Amino acid sequence: MNQTQKKAMIYGNLINNSVQIIQDEQDKLNPEFDKLRRALDRDQVEKIDSVEYTKIMHDFKHGTEAYADILSKFEKAKAPARFMGTHMSLVSSFKKYVDACQEMTDSINEDQTIDRKKFNEAEQVQDENMDKFSKYIQKMTQI
């Protein structure tokens, strides 16, 4: 295996492992997000069990940290030349996603209130940038 092939294999493994971690985190956080979303939409955030609310806060913080760790790996990755442009776009969209995750996490307050505006804006930015990220991943798998 030559250096180019080795580089492509290492990069491919990074992408595959990262996508799996992202999927696992989303699978864990999505039900909690849905619970917060429903409570916000019904103005019933204070009715969430306090122990569960604290767990959700912790899980969002942990998830955001996991995403930030992946972002760091993406930023340090050495993409094969044919993926360089797509990689840079992927990193940019994932950075915006991670920043929005941090904003959402920051909107969930310890006093069991949620900054609705911040939460909603973060949700929109997350949706937009995860869609872009997914498209870049698909593009890479088609090359």
Side-chain angles (χ1 to χ4, degrees), residues 9-133:
M9 188 181 81
I10 291 168
Y11 182 74
N13 287 338
L14 169 69
I15 294 296
N16 289 336
N17 293 339
S18 298
V19 168
Q20 186 60 56
I21 293 167
I22 291 166
Q23 186 62 54
D24 291 347
E25 285 298 323
Q26 288 179 338
D27 289 347
K28 183 173 77 179
L29 295 173
N30 215 35
E32 294 178 337
F33 166 81
D34 288 342
K35 182 174 279 274
L36 292 181
R37 176 83 268 158
R38 280 192 308 276
L40 255 182
D41 291 345
R42 295 177 179 144
D43 287 324
Q44 296 179 340
V45 173
E46 73 286 347
K47 291 185 179 178
I48 298 173
D49 176 75
S50 63
V51 172
E52 185 176 10
Y53 184 87
T54 300
K55 180 186 181 308
I56 291 171
M57 279 180 51
H58 176 285
D59 289 349
F60 269 59
K61 184 176 186 294
H62 179 269
T64 300
E65 289 168 355
Y67 294 146
D69 183 52
I70 292 168
L71 175 62
S72 175
K73 289 175 183 171
F74 282 159
E75 290 173 334
K76 294 174 188 166
K78 303 213 181 318
R82 70 181 186 272
F83 293 127
M84 193 56 73
T86 304
H87 174 76
M88 292 175 73
S89 297
L90 180 139
V91 171
S92 175
S93 64
F94 195 67
K95 180 175 182 359
K96 291 174 187 168
Y97 176 80
V98 172
D99 290 346
C101 289
Q102 186 62 59
E103 284 295 311
M104 183 174 282
T105 298
D106 292 347
S107 76
I108 304 168
N109 302 309
E110 288 188 29
D111 65 357
Q112 201 155 334
T113 61
I114 297 176
D115 181 328
R116 181 185 302 268
K117 183 176 187 292
K118 204 176 198 182
F119 188 94
N120 291 342
E121 288 172 359
E123 179 183 8
Q124 183 178 357
V125 173
Q126 285 176 18
D127 288 347
E128 289 170 11
N129 285 286
M130 186 47 66
D131 285 348
K132 289 178 185 177
F133 177 83

